[in-house]
Amino acid sequence: MTNEKQGQEAFELYDQIRENELQRRELLGLNAKLLYKMKEKKLYKAMLGDEQGEWAGFLGQIDIFYTRSRINKLINIFKKFELELEIGISQAIDVPITRLIDLLKIITKENAEEWLNKAKTLSSKDWRIEIREIKGLPTEDDCEHKMQKYEICKICGLKHKIQHSGIAG
């Protein structure tokens, strides 16, 4: 295969991956809305066939493979962007979910455009710095760095802090 053909195939595959990821995120946003409605209207009780049924019981039954924590985060993202900010989850579809979770306590109608732009464009390091600054926490630049040493088992990954014996050596 020539370099030109490989390049063409690589770009085609990359475009397919990007399109699939966009569709996945759109469906995730739709599922967040549906889960919110199911919870708010207590429709899960009908699905369980039990008026005393609990949300946690419903989540254990359904055939979607999200953890309870993940579902709660999705619902909180939906409530914040759709209901509170009224900007629509579609405006944030290209923002990683971890960053949307970071924004839940920070973003307002007044600063939404600025924070969504940052969430879409900043590197991971710069994002961490911005979030720590807005929360009033020390950043990497402000910290005195009290480092600790760790050992990690190459076989099982067990990690523990190396204790100093206090003996100079």
Side-chain angles (χ1 to χ4, degrees), residues 82-138:
E82 290 281 343
L83 305 179
E84 184 182 323
L85 300 177
E86 299 174 340
I87 60 173
I89 196 73
S90 61
Q91 295 294 321
I93 205 77
D94 52 351
V95 175
I97 194 166
T98 54
R99 291 187 180 195
L100 294 176
I101 293 165
D102 289 340
L103 289 175
L104 288 175
K105 294 182 180 178
I106 297 168
I107 198 167
T108 64
K109 284 184 180 182
E110 295 74 30
N111 68 18
E113 185 177 340
E114 174 190 358
W115 275 105
L116 285 172
N117 268 341
K118 288 180 181 183
K120 292 174 186 178
T121 60
L122 290 178
S123 68
S124 294
K125 180 180 179 181
D126 290 341
W127 177 255
R128 274 192 317 274
I129 290 170
E130 288 283 333
I131 294 300
R132 291 186 67 79
E133 282 178 349
I134 198 74
K135 290 181 176 182
L137 299 170

Side-chain angles (χ1 to χ4, degrees), residues 138-156:
T139 65
E140 293 175 16
D141 295 335
D142 303 331
C143 185
E144 294 177 16
H145 302 297
K146 297 179 182 176
M147 303 305 234
Q148 298 178 343
K149 291 185 178 182
Y150 289 88
E151 289 181 327
I152 302 172
C153 175
K154 290 181 180 181
I155 299 168
C156 71

